[in-house]
Amino acid sequence: MKLLFSTERLPIKSRFERWLEMLEEQRLPLEQEQLDAAPFEAKLEIATLGPLTMTRVSEGPLRSEATPSAIRRLGDEGCISVGFTLAGMTKVQQRDRATAQRQGDLVVIEHQPTVMTTSPGNQSLYLKMPRERLESALGPARHYAALTIGSELATATLAMSFFVELSRMHYQLDAATAVRMGSIGVDLIVASIAERMARDVPLPLSDSVLVQRAKAHVEANLGDPTLDPPQVAAALGVSLHRLRDLFRTRGQHVSDWIWQRRLEVAADRLADPACAHITVGTLAGGCGFSSRTHFSRRFKDRFGLAPGEFRHAVGLAGH
């Protein structure tokens, strides 16, 4: 990640003032105050993965407030942030919810009035993404903003580990691959939030969360040719009848959703220059199709072109 700021070589007396100046330069809508008299220490690093921005922050104990006027000045309503606490503790207060995150926990932070406090030695990794990316899968962010998604959830641990490693290795990836890896990581975050919400949300929303957990399971297992509605139901711990009813009330069928996502992912890979060396047969297998013939028939029915023709149409050589 690119280092934007460090207090390491700055005079102690000017460190906090320089830090505030840097926040203003980066258009971060925060009013901050130190919570102890110790020499201030902080570091900020950043990386961009297409529509996603990763920021790693190491800082001393601070109280940070995002005020309504500062948020309006920022004008970033279309974005939302996810924070991973890597060390220390973070407390977040937003709307009517106040929670604490310890090492390994994650939290969603809306661009709304917010108060945050950090403990000594705090280190966090923040991911800023298009708001629609989460809300299209999980519904309005107000239902899960400032909710602690704890490290006791395997999905949360996996999501944090994934982004920590991505923050270390993204510079070794080409731009297209880095964007694709970021998207995979966001899917892990969606699965984490869905699992956490399923524990204590009202029944109508719980149904929506079950559907999103089902979709997250499908995304994670598209390459498995045995993936089918009974397997998805078993993974969620619900009956096949209930799973079908949940999808039917949303105008969908589980099996149709599985094939739709397989075809959409296949089309994305056929149009991806990074996948141009992969044969159509291999690509079909990676998306869960048992044979190239089956894949070609379904693909042409969906997109009007055979896979090889589609690849030519987007300017990539056919395989």
Side-chain angles (χ1 to χ4, degrees):
M1 301 180 75
K2 179 182 178 181
L3 178 64
L4 285 187
F5 181 90
S6 174
T7 57
E8 184 177 355
R9 298 183 180 181
L10 294 176
I12 292 177
K13 290 185 178 180
S14 65
R15 287 179 178 179
F16 188 57
E17 182 180 352
R18 293 284 298 276
W19 170 256
L20 295 179
E21 291 173 354
M22 184 276 302
L23 294 180
E24 184 67 26
E25 291 170 359
Q26 296 298 314
R27 298 179 64 246
L28 296 174
L30 298 174
E31 296 180 2
Q32 293 191 321
E33 59 179 293
Q34 290 183 263
L35 297 179
D36 67 10
F40 181 68
E41 295 184 358
K43 183 165 69 172
L44 185 142
E45 301 160 280
I46 194 167
T48 301
L49 308 174
L52 308 179
T53 302
M54 286 193 299
T55 305
R56 185 164 54 215
V57 184
S58 305
E59 58 191 2
L62 291 173
R63 180 186 186 277
S64 306
E65 182 173 2
T67 63
S69 59
I71 293 169
R72 284 195 299 271
R73 188 169 68 251
L74 177 64
D76 222 357
E77 297 85 358
C79 292
I80 201 164
S81 296
V82 175
F84 300 89
T85 299
L86 307 179
M89 179 185 292
T90 307
K91 295 182 179 180
V92 177
Q93 182 176 342
Q94 193 167 66
R95 298 186 188 272
D96 58 350
R97 184 178 287 150
T99 55
Q101 293 77 48
R102 293 172 174 80
Q103 183 175 351
D105 297 343
L106 65 95
V107 64
V108 175
I109 304 171
E110 284 191 276
H111 284 233
Q112 295 284 334
T114 307
V115 175
M116 295 177 59
T117 57
T118 52
S119 68
N122 180 271
Q123 185 178 91
S124 297
L125 181 68
Y126 293 97
L127 183 71
K128 187 169 78 170
M129 70 185 76
R131 184 187 190 95
E132 190 272 340
R133 185 69 174 81
L134 287 189
E135 293 193 330
S136 63
L138 297 164
R142 65 178 179 273
H143 293 305
Y144 45 88
L147 184 69
T148 298
I149 293 90
S151 58
E152 73 277 6
L153 300 179
T155 48
T157 299
L158 183 59
M160 190 179 81
S161 299
F162 184 91
F163 276 105
V164 168
E165 288 304 310
L166 190 57
S167 71
R168 293 172 180 165
M169 302 180 63
H170 71 93
Y171 68 91
Q172 299 178 31
L173 308 175
D174 61 71
T177 302
V179 170
R180 191 160 59 249
M181 291 299 101
S183 180
I184 291 170
V186 172
D187 287 339
L188 292 174
I189 291 172
V190 168
S192 303
I193 299 169
E195 185 175 358
R196 175 63 179 86
M197 290 171 68
R199 292 183 167 191
D200 54 8
V201 294
L203 185 59
L205 187 57
S206 181
D207 288 349
S208 295
V209 170
L210 279 172
V211 171
Q212 295 310 323
R213 288 181 66 190
K215 291 182 176 180
H217 181 79
V218 170
E219 293 296 322
N221 294 277
L222 281 177
D224 181 358
T226 68
L227 179 68
D228 60 10
Q231 187 196 110
V232 176
L236 268 64
V238 300
S239 69
L240 179 59
H241 178 74
R242 174 152 166 71
L243 180 67
R244 284 173 171 164
D245 278 349
L246 288 171
F247 272 77
R248 192 177 296 117
T249 58
R250 289 157 178 80
Q252 298 173 331
H253 295 282
V254 188
S255 57
D256 289 346
W257 176 260
I258 293 172
W259 289 115
Q260 175 185 329
R261 289 301 300 140
R262 281 175 167 157
L263 289 167
E264 289 173 346
V265 169
D268 287 343
R269 292 177 182 175
L270 285 169
D272 187 347
C275 297
H277 65 288
I278 301 175
T279 67
V280 170
T282 300
L283 190 147
C287 293
F289 292 90
S290 57
S291 72
R292 177 169 175 164
T293 301
H294 180 214
F295 171 56
S296 296
R297 177 173 56 79
R298 278 192 173 268
F299 193 90
K300 190 168 185 177
D301 287 345
R302 173 68 174 81
F303 295 104
L305 294 171
E309 294 170 337
F310 182 89
R311 189 171 248 173
H312 276 297
V314 296
L316 299 179
H319 287 260

